[in-house]
Amino acid sequence: MTKQNNSGQNNYGQNTQLVHGGINRTQFDETAETLYLTSGYVYGSAEEAEAAFDESIDRFVYSRYGNPTVEVLQQRMAELEGAEACLATGTGMAAIFAAMACQLSVGDRVVASRALFGACHAILTKILPKWGVDVELVDGRELSAWQEALSRPCKIVFLETPSNPTLQLVDLAKVSELAHQAGARVVVDNVFATPILQRPLLFGADIICYSATKHIDGQGRVLGGFVLGSEGFIKNELMPFYRQTGATISSFNAWVLLKSLETLPLRVDAQTKTAYKIAQMLDSHEAVLSVSYPGLPSHPQYELAKKQMSDFGSLIAFEVKGEKDGAFRFLNSLSLILISNNLGDSKSLACHPSSTTHMNIGPEERDKLDIKDGHIRLSVGLEDCDDLIKDLRQALDIIA
Ligand SMILES: *Cc1c(COP(=O)(O)O)cnc(C)c1O
């Protein structure tokens, strides 16, 4: 169901749009977005029910397919991304899986960058091959690797930039061009960059996925996800798959995310400013062997980062002295920054990827991805920058 609202055709700026976009007030003229906590809908007559099912009228039928609160969220997200349409899902993984599975059949080829979130890696290397999909992983930084893999026909190119956990970049414009020549659609996991700092559609990508659990909620409360793309793709390909397989988000979680979108630009901006200062501090500390942050000129893809991102985000990867032992002693010495595998939160969170989020891919694959035993992934939150720097310094001094 797509209901007319008061914000669709205007030219408001991003902040305004994230506060008002998609809103659809009831007869009570409430200020805030309405939470429709209902699984189903009733009909005035048997004829109306029949018309709803044969789609001769456009109305809500069942909340697995659509819900008015979820609808407002989808519209607001589509406006933010500059996409024609959006579907919200229960988790980020539900979004990514549905976006690919709805397009694939036995014998199709997928080419993906190797540097991926752990669960995305598992979908590509364990689940899809079992169903007869041929998957090839490439070093996403190397255009020649993309060129070679895309010299044969391909259905989907899947990539993440910057990547989890070591913040490697993929050239969105060049890879999209190669993908389209091979007949593929480009699906981008844009979680690390957020919709505020990077708009892959502008560089030729076709389908954008998010885990809303990360920066979009950003306050550690609910899981959620989004798929964004053309109206034809969302309506005719994704929607039939989504309706039958049940990737739906609960309306309560959608309502929480609606309120989160109001403050997303403010939070991402504050986190990014702090992350830049922290990256500089880490770069100069003797206990740190290397820092990967796209905003540092020492990042090998700094020029590409400036081209396709408006700013460089809240995530930093760095390698400390002493390998796993050094990394564990560092983590255990933190007092303000929390140990957690989540990210994008208002609380700063640190984790050791090789023993947690990237444990299952094994040592050989970690080697290929440059994930070292001394690597820490830091998600910078909303605390005072000085407090975070003090905490990091004292923990680094212990292992220096
Ligand atoms: C967390 C995350 C996901 C998965 O999202 P969930 O909401 O946990 O299902 C996918 N990709 C990236 C890059 C992530 O950080």
Side-chain angles (χ1 to χ4, degrees):
M1 168 142 176
T2 44
K3 248 202 169 167
Q4 209 44 52
N5 68 80
N6 59 14
S7 68
Q9 300 93 4
N10 57 50
N11 287 314
Y12 288 130
Q14 187 179 72
N15 294 331
T16 307
Q17 180 268 323
L18 283 172
V19 174
H20 294 276
I23 207 158
N24 186 9
R25 291 195 167 83
T26 72
Q27 71 272 31
F28 301 117
D29 296 327
E30 63 284 352
T31 310
E33 294 71 8
T34 314
L35 170 54
Y36 290 93
L37 200 55
T38 182
S39 47
Y41 306 87
V42 297
Y43 308 92
S45 66
E47 287 77 10
E48 192 186 352
E50 183 184 38
F53 273 75
D54 72 20
E55 294 180 12
S56 55
I57 57 167
D58 186 16
R59 55 155 288 164
F60 292 107
V61 171
Y62 186 50
S63 283
R64 170 149 45 81
Y65 315 159
N67 170 286
T69 306
V70 175
E71 180 84 23
V72 176
L73 176 65
Q74 290 172 166
Q75 181 149 350
R76 196 171 287 184
M77 260 314 280
E79 286 173 18
L80 170 62
E81 194 70 38
E84 286 174 13
C86 172
L87 264 187
T89 55
T91 66
M93 288 321 302
I96 290 163
F97 179 69
M100 290 202 273
C102 77
Q103 303 184 60
L104 291 169
S105 315
V106 178
D108 283 339
R109 256 185 102 228
V110 176
V111 175
S113 60
R114 176 169 278 119
L116 296 171
F117 183 69
C120 298
H121 194 272
I123 287 179
L124 290 165
T125 59
K126 299 205 169 85
I127 297 174
L128 294 178
K130 214 170 59 177
W131 295 341
V133 175
D134 177 21
V135 177
E136 187 177 345
L137 299 183
V138 299
D139 184 331
R141 296 165 295 186
E142 298 293 336
L143 275 178
S144 57
W146 287 107
Q147 229 150 11
E148 194 182 318
L150 294 171
S151 60
R152 287 186 288 142
C154 173
K155 192 77 183 264
I156 293 177
V157 162
F158 181 73
L159 62 93
E160 186 184 321
T161 180
S163 70
N164 180 24
T166 47
L167 296 125
Q168 300 175 358
L169 269 55
V170 176
D171 189 323
L172 287 165
K174 295 217 168 101
V175 172
S176 296
E177 199 184 319
L178 290 170
H180 293 154
Q181 284 164 10
R185 284 188 182 136
V186 178
V187 181
V188 177
D189 178 344
N190 204 37
V191 168
F192 267 41
T194 80
I196 305 298
L197 304 183
Q198 179 171 271
R199 305 269 295 279
L201 291 175
L202 300 178
F203 296 91
D206 303 288
I207 295 157
I208 317 302
C209 297
Y210 290 100
S211 164
T213 318
K214 310 298 167 54
H215 302 81
I216 293 174
D217 172 55
Q219 291 146 89
R221 301 165 300 186
V222 301
L223 297 152
F226 296 108
V227 183
L228 297 114
S230 71
E231 185 145 359
F233 169 71
I234 299 284
K235 258 198 180 149
N236 304 328
E237 295 182 59
L238 182 59
M239 191 61 189
F241 183 92
Y242 167 101
R243 283 172 66 126
Q244 315 301 353
T245 56
T248 315
I249 189 170
S250 90
S251 58
F252 177 78
N253 289 2
W255 180 83
V256 172
L257 292 172
L258 262 172
K259 303 312 286 177
S260 304
L261 281 178
E262 296 182 343
T263 57
L264 180 65
L266 298 172
R267 288 183 285 108
V268 168
D269 184 52
Q271 289 171 337
T272 297
K273 286 199 168 92
T274 306
Y276 180 67
K277 289 185 196 149
I278 288 176
Q280 284 182 312
M281 183 281 284
L282 291 170
D283 210 22
S284 66
H285 199 286
E286 57 176 327
V288 176
L289 300 176
S290 67
V291 180
S292 183
Y293 183 69
L296 289 183
S298 59
H299 190 289
Q301 296 165 297
Y302 176 62
E303 291 304 321
L304 177 61
K306 283 197 293 187
K307 195 177 116 198
Q308 60 189 30
M309 302 178 76
S310 60
D311 212 334
F312 308 107
S314 63
L315 285 134
I316 307 169
F318 57 100
E319 190 190 355
V320 296
K321 274 186 183 167
E323 304 197 341
K324 184 179 175 183
D325 182 55
F328 273 36
R329 282 203 299 143
F330 167 77
L331 285 175
N332 292 335
S333 304
L334 291 169
S335 62
L336 172 62
I337 297 168
L338 304 167
I339 302 173
S340 173
N341 50 288
N342 201 5
L343 62 92
D345 204 271
S346 54
K347 295 179 172 63
S348 290
L349 306 173
C351 78
H352 180 241
S354 74
S355 65
T356 58
T357 54
H358 289 70
M359 182 185 68
N360 279 333
I361 64 171
E364 222 171 277
E365 194 67 9
R366 281 200 296 277
D367 244 16
K368 286 188 196 159
L369 293 171
D370 292 331
I371 303 172
K372 307 271 168 49
D373 286 344
H375 259 130
I376 301 287
R377 187 191 74 194
L378 176 65
S379 169
V380 175
L382 292 172
E383 300 93 338
D384 286 300
C385 183
D386 290 348
D387 292 335
L388 294 173
I389 285 187
K390 212 191 270 176
D391 193 30
L392 289 163
R393 259 195 221 286
Q394 62 79 25
L396 287 170
D397 289 344
I398 289 171
I399 60 164

